[in-house]
Amino acid sequence: MKTFEFSPRLLTTALILMLGLIIAAVPRNTTTPFKLTAEQILDEIKSGTQYLEPEQIAQMIVEKEPTLQLIDVRPVTEFEKFSLPGAINIPIDNILAAEFVDVLNQDIMTNVFYSNGTTQANEAWMLVRQLGYENNYVLRGGLNYWAEAILNPERPASTSPDDELARYDFRMGASQALGGGGLAPSESKPATTTPIPKPKPQGKKKAVAGGCS
Amino acid sequence: MGPLVVYEVITENTNLFLAFFIGIGFGFVLEQAGFSSSRKLAGMFYGYDTVVLKVFFTGAITAMLGLLFFSLFGWVDLSLIYVNETFVHSAILGGVVMGAGFIMGGFCPGTSFCGAAIGKIDAWVFIIGLFIGVFIFGEGYSLWEDVYKAGFLGSPRISEYFGISEGLTVLLVIIAAAFMFWGGEWAEKKFPREDY
């Protein structure tokens, strides 16, 4: 009696076809693994990487940094009373609304949340961070500290270290540019502000560039 | 978990370092498959040797199945995989130019370097021609920039274009490949050539 034997190529073809059938039958995996665990978020909170200093933000506003996107998470009524230049209003109640996904989940702009203190801004930051969105930050100290540090800076003692005086000069300059109450610089010579480094976007989520021809 | 660079499991530099070894492996396999012989490659167009078709379709099927199964297991996020943009006019023109060069020269860009690595003179001549072509394209860029950038379609995938699932696309490609392999072997018997 003649037995039918599978040749290696027939076996391979059958195997590949079966794998193809399986993959055609199962639904596409749409769960995105890009979510942070609670531990990862805690690590980020502990290291404080979400904060940007008011001086950095002031510098960016003065320089009209095109990638800066200030996001006011306070209610509309408060936003209308006072807001930072160029800020948009996303009240924290609406932070998950579909219309804001494009604003919050992108890799071009540097989003900076602010509220009166930092609680609401931090809540907003934690929510979007949990969703895996990048390039979202929190204004350190919120508007209260902003008013204190940038709009009405306090002159340091004349015995203070140079960098403190330089920071004061910078704050005075920013204060004048941003409509605060500051008037006179600490010294008569031109303000020697040290350039404040721009925030470095960390870990952009973008597709790998490449290809082969 | 993947892509590894996007999730910063490995750095960009480590990625290039790994690519170096993968590239060496790729070249080695091409050479072992006989792709450093321009006669073998040109055989694809005359029908006496269809190993090019088989190797590239096997590679494509393996990669497709691998990526989809990895995605199914949650090992790779397909939405973060880079897909080349499609400029449909330059794709057609480039395909014609490359195909003509392939038949005339007997190599495609990758295999020409493979042939050059084992000292094939025709491969070296092909590479010189390749760089002349690159030079002409670069210097005359303003002349064909309009055509080059026309017909931009973004990064469409076959599955999206026809509105079918990715898995079904893979199955169809596998079936198509099985028929093509069968047809290729039929052609090899129909147009045999012993002297290459």
Side-chain angles (χ1 to χ4, degrees):
Chain A
M1 199 176 109
K2 194 182 172 190
T3 53
F4 184 75
E5 276 186 25
F6 279 108
S7 65
R9 69 168 58 191
L10 211 57
L11 267 177
T12 316
T13 313
L15 180 73
I16 299 262
L17 264 176
M18 272 192 277
L19 287 175
L21 276 172
I22 292 170
I23 208 69
V26 296
R28 188 186 169 182
N29 183 5
T30 50
T31 57
T32 164
F34 197 88
K35 278 187 181 166
L36 298 185
T37 61
E39 286 80 17
Q40 285 171 310
I41 299 229
L42 182 61
D43 277 345
E44 294 201 10
I45 291 170
K46 277 194 291 191
S47 58
T49 49
Q50 83 267 37
Y51 286 115
L52 291 182
E53 301 300 325
E55 283 87 358
Q56 284 176 298
I57 304 300
Q59 173 120 353
M60 288 168 94
I61 295 174
V62 171
E63 288 176 355
K64 298 194 166 43
E65 171 66 44
T67 60
L68 176 68
Q69 178 64 70
L70 289 162
I71 297 175
D72 195 321
V73 296
R74 300 171 305 156
V76 185
T77 48
E78 290 186 49
F79 175 75
E80 280 167 355
K81 271 186 218 152
F82 175 80
S83 66
L84 294 179
I88 56 167
N89 184 219
I90 305 182
I92 187 132
D93 297 350
N94 300 346
I95 197 99
L96 298 177
E99 57 188 302
F100 298 124
V101 170
D102 290 342
V103 177
L104 301 171
N105 185 19
Q106 44 78 43
D107 55 12
I108 300 162
M109 307 291 279
T110 303
N111 287 335
V112 182
F113 294 117
Y114 71 84
S115 49
N116 286 331
T118 49
T119 311
Q120 283 187 321
N122 262 324
E123 284 167 355
W125 174 82
M126 279 181 71
L127 282 167
V128 296
R129 202 70 197 100
Q130 177 63 46
L131 290 168
Y133 301 169
E134 301 271 356
N135 301 323
N136 294 296
Y137 299 90
V138 173
L139 172 63
R140 187 188 287 281
L143 283 179
N144 294 335
Y145 182 61
W146 176 272
E148 191 183 303
I150 301 292
L151 298 183
N152 303 297
E154 200 172 302
R155 190 193 187 108
S158 55
T159 51
S160 304
D162 280 353
D163 57 342
E164 199 137 310
L165 288 167
R167 192 162 65 200
Y168 174 68
D169 281 346
F170 172 79
R171 286 175 171 182
M172 288 305 288
S175 167
Q176 280 163 15
L178 299 172
L183 285 170
S186 63
E187 292 165 33
S188 55
K189 67 176 183 180
T192 52
T193 55
T194 44
I196 288 174
K198 296 209 175 97
K200 208 172 138 210
Q202 306 151 351
K204 287 192 170 185
K205 183 175 142 192
K206 64 177 177 192
V208 192
C212 168
S213 55
Chain B
M1 182 161 182
L4 297 179
V5 176
V6 180
Y7 283 108
E8 294 179 343
V9 178
I10 58 173
T11 65
E12 202 92 31
N13 288 338
T14 315
N15 191 38
L16 288 174
F17 184 67
L18 293 176
F20 176 71
F21 291 104
I22 294 171
I24 288 176
F26 179 61
F28 180 77
V29 171
L30 276 187
E31 213 286 320
Q32 288 299 299
F35 278 37
S36 53
S37 159
S38 53
R39 292 200 182 105
K40 196 173 188 72
L41 294 168
M44 185 63 233
F45 298 97
Y46 300 104
Y48 62 81
D49 192 318
T50 55
V51 75
V52 176
L53 177 92
K54 289 181 207 158
V55 167
F56 277 109
F57 259 91
T58 311
I61 288 168
T62 310
M64 285 168 117
L65 278 174
L67 277 175
L68 283 190
F69 272 105
F70 273 36
S71 166
L72 185 66
F73 303 150
W75 293 347
V76 70
D77 186 351
L78 283 186
S79 65
L80 297 178
I81 299 281
Y82 176 78
V83 180
N84 274 331
E85 285 99 350
T86 300
F87 295 87
V88 72
H89 294 186
S90 38
I92 293 168
L93 278 174
V96 170
V97 171
M98 162 132 179
F102 201 157
I103 303 175
M104 288 192 285
F107 288 109
C108 77
T111 55
S112 70
F113 284 92
C114 206
I118 59 164
K120 290 262 172 92
I121 291 168
D122 56 347
W124 280 104
V125 174
F126 186 94
I127 289 174
I128 292 169
L130 194 151
F131 277 109
I132 292 172
V134 169
F135 182 76
I136 294 172
F137 178 81
E139 288 300 310
Y141 182 70
S142 53
L143 291 177
W144 29 75
E145 188 177 2
D146 289 342
V147 182
Y148 180 62
K149 289 183 175 166
F152 178 65
L153 296 183
S155 300
R157 303 182 197 186
I158 296 174
S159 52
E160 287 166 7
Y161 193 81
F162 291 109
I164 55 179
S165 79
E166 286 164 344
L168 187 60
T169 314
V170 173
L171 182 64
L172 293 178
V173 172
I174 290 172
I175 292 169
F179 276 104
M180 278 195 279
F181 290 3
W182 179 76
E185 303 212 329
W186 171 83
E188 281 173 17
K189 286 189 195 110
K190 174 95 176 162
F191 311 104
R193 190 183 289 199
E194 294 301 325
D195 59 342
Y196 70 95

